[in-house]
Amino acid sequence: MTDEDLDRIARGYREFVAEAQPTSPLYAELAGHVAGSERVLRFLAGLPVGKRQPNLLLAALQFLDGAPADGAELERRITEDGDRVRATVLARATQTNEPARCGALLPVLARLAGPLTLIEVGASAGLCLYPDRYGYDYDGVQVGPTDSLRIRVETSGGVPVPSAVPEVAARIGIDLNPLDPTDPGDRDWLRALVWPGPVAEERLARLDTAAEVAAREPATLLAGDLVDRLPDALDLAAPGSTVVVMHTAVLPYVPGDVRARFAEAVAGLPVRWLAQEPPGAVPGTGERPADGWGKEFVVSLDRRPLARSAPHGGRLDWLDGDPR
Ligand SMILES: C[S@@+](CC[C@H](N)C(=O)[O-])C[C@H]1O[C@@H](n2cnc3c(N)ncnc32)[C@H](O)[C@@H]1O
């Protein structure tokens, strides 16, 4: 382990401070502490490269004994309980599943010719595969079922708020490690991935309700890589449906060469391609920000940017363009 390794890890945690600050001041403080702690940086450098990111470390701590109250507690727990933290980090992955992201997908999905087959890559527990089963509130305009969870979205730029949810004929997810929304351990992990802060309670309630929706009407979740399993997912499409390959908050976790192969594969298919990802993750959606992936997402259809959205949902700023 070199000083360069430690510097690189510290830089990732410093970038995360800015990302977390608006919604989780505690995580911003904890990440800032990690960036300045040689002991914690050395602990992280002893983990495989893909297992060092702030989201994963902080979720593991929260999963085991709740979020540390401050940097001193985090440091103490890494020092005294590092083996358990390491085991959790190694056994788990960043799989935050946020159904509120459907609030950014719905205006696009509702404009496509239905019925739809949804193929979500990087689906986690599949909770974004139910855009038709959730209710929405776009600046006070209600859409969809009234007896389900309510996803609130603040908008600007003339979002084409639909009058109804689309018809979904098939729900198929692909994930390296699909989580089971009915499994208590997986649900606890999903809850631990929610950042503590002013909106945590609302997010946890949403997660629980969405998991119940998913449990009532299970999606088909395929285990494996998004490029490798795409043909299997396509085979399961409902006859006569419009097939939508979609993903939210997935491509930053996918190595660049796989991302490029995925983009090439999807572009050559008779499908619609709906993404909600950081700028530049999908070709044609801008430049990758120099200071980290996580501050704002771009909603794109067939590589055309249509809107900007808050990473965990709740805000949608429409750009010029029609979603058809
Ligand atoms: C941050 S989560 C997002 C989950 C969900 N899309 C959402 O927005 O709520 C990213 C998911 O992508 C999955 N993932 C990462 N790389 C993948 C790959 N190469 N193939 C399939 N899934 C992948 C992870 O396992 C994880 O569940």
Side-chain angles (χ1 to χ4, degrees):
M1 154 193 340
T2 63
D3 284 353
E4 210 179 305
D5 287 333
L6 300 188
D7 284 350
R8 194 173 316 113
I9 299 169
R11 201 162 49 244
Y13 277 74
R14 274 197 298 275
E15 285 174 3
F16 184 80
V17 171
E19 187 183 330
Q21 191 64 53
T23 48
S24 184
L26 174 62
Y27 269 12
E29 180 195 331
L30 295 176
H33 182 91
V34 171
S37 161
E38 186 172 341
R39 185 194 298 262
V40 183
L41 292 173
R42 284 192 180 282
F43 169 84
L44 290 165
L47 294 167
V49 173
K51 293 285 183 179
R52 298 168 175 173
Q53 74 267 34
N55 246 341
L56 185 55
L57 174 73
L58 295 169
L61 288 161
Q62 188 165 212
F63 181 71
L64 291 171
D65 294 300
D70 52 27
E73 183 185 333
L74 181 148
E75 183 109 14
R76 181 180 56 70
R77 284 170 57 181
I78 296 292
T79 308
E80 294 174 3
D81 202 18
D83 288 348
R84 227 161 48 104
V85 178
R86 184 178 299 105
T88 304
V89 163
L90 292 177
R92 294 285 183 177
T94 306
Q95 296 196 263
T96 312
N97 207 181
E98 179 45 85
R101 290 179 176 138
C102 288
L105 305 178
L106 184 82
V108 184
L109 291 171
R111 294 261 175 139
L112 301 178
L116 306 176
T117 287
L118 301 181
I119 297 180
E120 189 191 7
V121 304
S124 182
L127 303 184
C128 293
L129 279 166
Y130 300 84
D132 54 326
R133 296 292 186 244
Y134 303 145
Y136 303 84
D137 177 329
Y138 290 94
D139 294 324
V141 178
Q142 313 295 319
V143 185
T146 51
D147 58 350
S148 183
L149 68 82
R150 194 116 294 246
I151 294 173
R152 281 192 190 77
V153 189
E154 288 174 15
T155 75
S156 75
V159 170
V161 175
S163 53
V165 294
E167 183 188 346
V168 176
R171 309 170 204 277
I172 302 148
I174 299 173
D175 201 283
L176 286 177
N177 176 44
L179 295 179
D180 177 352
T182 67
D183 178 84
D186 283 356
R187 278 174 72 158
D188 283 349
W189 178 245
L190 287 170
R191 292 175 65 85
L193 284 160
V194 173
W195 302 356
V199 293
E201 206 175 312
E202 183 186 322
R203 287 189 66 193
L204 290 170
R206 195 158 55 224
L207 193 57
D208 290 344
T209 310
E212 283 160 24
V213 169
R216 273 200 298 276
E217 199 177 352
T220 303
L221 295 181
L222 306 176
D225 175 75
L226 76 192
V227 177
D228 298 342
R229 297 304 311 263
L230 196 51
D232 302 318
L234 290 166
D235 283 347
L236 299 173
S241 63
T242 296
V243 179
V244 184
V245 173
M246 57 182 229
H247 46 95
T248 84
V250 175
L251 296 187
Y253 299 94
V254 176
D257 59 326
V258 182
R259 244 188 351 253
R261 279 197 290 126
F262 174 70
E264 201 180 326
V266 182
L269 291 170
V271 301
R272 308 306 299 267
W273 180 9
L274 173 59
Q276 186 185 16
E277 296 284 353
V282 170
T285 61
E287 292 298 317
R288 179 181 173 162
D291 57 349
W293 285 104
K295 290 195 199 68
E296 191 169 56
F297 284 2
V298 177
V299 179
S300 63
L301 181 67
D302 303 331
R303 298 199 266 188
R304 193 153 60 91
L306 293 175
R308 293 189 171 273
S309 73
H312 290 127
R315 208 197 72 240
L316 187 60
D317 305 315
W318 205 254
L319 307 168
D320 284 339
D322 189 297
R324 264 169 287 213

